[in-house]
Amino acid sequence: MTVEVSSREKEIIIGTILGDAHIAMLKTAARLEITHSEKQKEYVLWKHAELKRFTSSKPRLVKIKDERYGKTYRQWRFATKAGDWCTALHRVFYRGRVKIVPENIQGLLASPLSLAVWFMDDGGRRNDSYGLFLNTLSFTLREHELLQHCLQKNFSLETRVHWIQDGYRLYIPSKCARHFCELVHPYLLPLMHYKLSFNPVTTSFARLDRARDRK
């Protein structure tokens, strides 16, 4: 499928590729696959509405059985049709089956909308401070350095790299929290506002819960 991707569509796609989305390479072309938990159904429907030109079916509820723990997980998912536009992105963001941060990320991650989608996918806030984070555990230290440089140059955002258990995580310190929240808030869905430590509308910071963070 040959199709032109609009600026807005590309910004959303870039954000979700850095986040939870997966690009699957099929026989002749690639497709974008998006999956979120059942409680994020509204978010999946929003992504589908934004990218519906590339799809041929609606999101569906899927039940995944984890035999190890005897649990069943419910997820909402959809996939785009395979196309050259997605194959080109696969070449940029993948080495084989492994997702990477490309060297030219500064030219790709340049819009607050992309940053907001990435944060909605993989972001959160600490309970013991106003700091925020992006769960980037699958990326290497070098790839985190590329992301840090990109965020500094394109958004004037200072970040740190923290090691947590089995991978690195990109951390936005408290002193930068307000700036970050002001950047992404206009693009966040209301159901994602809980992830922010500062609300630009009410100009108030989230309540800290240091006791809960220590648990």
Side-chain angles (χ1 to χ4, degrees):
M1 182 177 76
T2 301
V3 62
E4 291 293 325
V5 182
S6 71
S7 296
R8 179 178 174 84
E9 289 165 342
K10 184 176 181 180
E11 289 167 9
I12 292 170
I13 290 167
I14 294 297
T16 199
I17 290 174
L18 286 170
D20 291 331
H22 172 67
I23 301 179
M25 191 66 206
L26 306 182
K27 289 184 178 180
T28 59
R31 72 179 184 187
L32 185 68
E33 299 176 347
I34 290 174
T35 302
H36 290 283
S37 66
E38 184 178 22
K39 66 181 180 180
Q40 293 184 326
K41 175 184 176 181
E42 182 181 338
Y43 185 40
V44 176
L45 295 178
W46 176 80
K47 283 187 178 179
H48 182 266
E50 293 285 347
L51 304 176
K52 62 184 178 182
R53 291 199 304 121
F54 310 107
T55 66
S56 58
S57 59
K58 295 181 179 180
R60 70 185 192 280
L61 179 64
V62 178
K63 297 179 182 179
I64 306 296
K65 182 72 177 291
D66 188 334
E67 300 292 348
R68 297 172 301 171
Y69 305 105
K71 292 184 178 180
T72 299
Y73 298 94
R74 297 160 66 92
Q75 301 174 332
W76 280 91
R77 63 174 56 174
F78 73 91
T80 67
K81 292 179 279 188
D84 294 341
W85 64 273
C86 200
T87 304
L89 287 169
H90 186 276
R91 294 193 190 102
V92 172
F93 281 98
Y94 282 77
R95 292 293 177 268
R97 295 184 178 182
V98 179
K99 188 188 295 187
I100 66 163
V101 176
E103 293 286 333
N104 67 332
I105 189 62
Q106 188 176 330
L108 298 168
L109 177 60
S111 124
L113 175 55
S114 294
L115 187 61
V117 172
W118 183 21
F119 183 72
M120 287 192 286
D121 271 31
D122 274 350
R125 66 177 180 88
R126 291 179 62 111
N127 297 312
D128 63 342
S129 74
Y130 300 119
L132 302 142
F133 58 81
L134 288 153
N135 283 312
T136 46
L137 278 71
S138 65
F139 298 137
T140 66
L141 180 57
R142 165 60 181 163
E143 289 168 339
H144 277 81
E145 290 169 350
L146 288 171
L147 289 170
Q148 283 187 290
H149 183 73
C150 170
L151 292 173
Q152 179 63 53
K153 290 292 185 180
N154 290 348
F155 303 102
S156 298
L157 272 173
E158 176 186 331
T159 57
R160 300 170 188 164
V161 178
H162 286 181
W163 174 265
I164 55 163
Q165 296 179 336
D166 55 355
Y168 296 103
R169 185 164 76 176
L170 207 57
Y171 177 66
I172 301 157
S174 294
K175 66 180 182 180
C176 300
R178 180 168 184 161
H179 175 48
F180 179 85
C181 294
E182 288 172 342
L183 281 170
V184 302
H185 184 272
Y187 307 96
L188 257 59
L189 271 66
L191 81 158
M192 296 293 186
H193 286 175
Y194 76 95
K195 292 189 173 192
L196 297 177
S197 57
F198 174 77
N199 187 324
V201 176
T202 61
T203 65
S204 60
F205 283 91
R207 177 180 174 273
L208 298 184
D209 189 351
R210 293 180 173 85
R212 194 182 79 177
D213 193 72
R214 288 195 294 269
K215 291 179 181 179

